[in-house]
């Protein structure tokens, strides 16, 4: 997939573009033009996605552009998921719930609470940081996805790399 976002009229919105099993040559900060001939919009697993395109439908027009990132409390993502889906957000000062067991790693879905609500940090099993040990809490940068399941829609943050996860300083080691 390629996730693109655009800011216009004071709003940042994102779009998830499915391309199939291809090596995507784009990196964060690339500006692209997407040829939409033959594309369709589909709600896939809770997320709105653009389908039916190939890599040749996307042309890079510049690179090194500054990325728009929003710091958002979880309750706003939960209340208005379409406002944030497919966009780069930061959720700060979130603790894992439940508290990670000793040696527990990021792979899979992990629930965090930033004091405003619960979100899921999703890490693919083959991510470079999947087997890194989890701290008690984090501030995390990632792309918002929605995932439908038996329990309804789950709002997820997908970090782009391990650099997007900043451990919080342990409260247990803080002087009183």
């Amino acid at each position: 997939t390629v996730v693109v976002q655009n800011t216009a009229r004071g709003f940042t919105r994102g779009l998830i573009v499915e391309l199939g099993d291809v090596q995507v040559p784009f990196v964060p900060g690339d500006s692209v033009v997407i040829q939409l001939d033959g594309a369709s919009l589909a709600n896939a697993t809770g997320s709105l996605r653009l389908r039916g395109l190939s890599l040749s439908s996307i042309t890079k027009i510049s690179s090194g552009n500054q990325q728009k990132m929003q710091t958002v409390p979880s309750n706003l993502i939960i209340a208005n998921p379409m406002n944030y889906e497919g966009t780069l957000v930061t959720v700060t000062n979130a603790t894992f719930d439940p508290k990670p067991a000793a040696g527990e790693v990021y792979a899979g879905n992990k629930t965090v609470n930033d004091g405003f609500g619960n979100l899921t940090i999703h890490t693919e099993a083959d991510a470079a940081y999947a087997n890194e040990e989890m701290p008690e809490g984090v501030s995390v940068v990632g792309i918002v996805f929605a995932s439908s399941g038996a329990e309804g829609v789950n709002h997820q943050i997908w970090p782009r790399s391990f650099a997007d996860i900043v451990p919080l300083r342990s409260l247990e080691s803080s002087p009183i």
Side-chain angles (χ1 to χ4, degrees):
T1 58
V2 171
V3 179
V4 294
Q5 68 179 28
N6 185 53
T7 302
R9 298 181 302 253
F11 297 100
T12 300
R13 297 292 188 259
L15 182 61
I16 303 162
V17 182
E18 290 185 356
L19 296 173
D21 191 19
V22 297
Q23 181 68 28
V24 177
F26 309 111
V27 297
D30 285 351
S31 181
V32 298
V33 172
I34 301 174
Q35 194 67 352
L36 297 176
D37 295 338
S40 63
L41 283 174
N43 185 334
T45 65
S47 290
L48 189 61
R49 295 170 182 249
L50 190 60
R51 291 183 163 167
L53 297 176
S54 65
L55 193 55
S56 63
S57 303
I58 304 175
T59 305
K60 180 170 71 169
I61 56 173
S62 67
S63 57
N65 298 289
Q66 185 170 353
Q67 299 170 64
K68 171 79 173 176
M69 184 180 349
Q70 307 170 86
T71 299
V72 184
S74 60
N75 63 319
L76 294 183
I77 295 170
I78 294 164
N80 301 296
M82 295 305 290
N83 289 351
Y84 301 100
E85 185 177 63
T87 67
L88 189 61
V89 301
T90 300
V91 174
T92 61
N93 300 319
T95 56
F96 288 99
D97 184 20
K99 181 180 174 180
E104 188 172 349
V105 298
Y106 284 101
N109 291 326
K110 308 297 180 179
T111 301
V112 293
N113 186 300
D114 64 349
F116 298 98
N118 290 334
L119 292 173
T120 299
I121 296 177
H122 176 81
T123 303
E124 293 287 310
D126 61 352
Y129 64 93
N131 292 314
E132 294 287 336
E133 189 172 347
M134 295 165 47
E136 292 179 28
V138 295
S139 288
V140 62
V141 174
I143 298 170
V144 176
F145 287 88
S147 177
S148 296
E151 298 175 6
V153 177
N154 181 13
H155 303 89
Q156 300 182 340
I157 306 292
W158 288 45
R160 300 163 300 168
S161 71
F162 194 44
D164 283 346
I165 302 171
V166 179
L168 299 181
R169 193 173 115 220
S170 174
L171 297 175
E172 294 173 9
S173 64
S174 296
I176 296 180

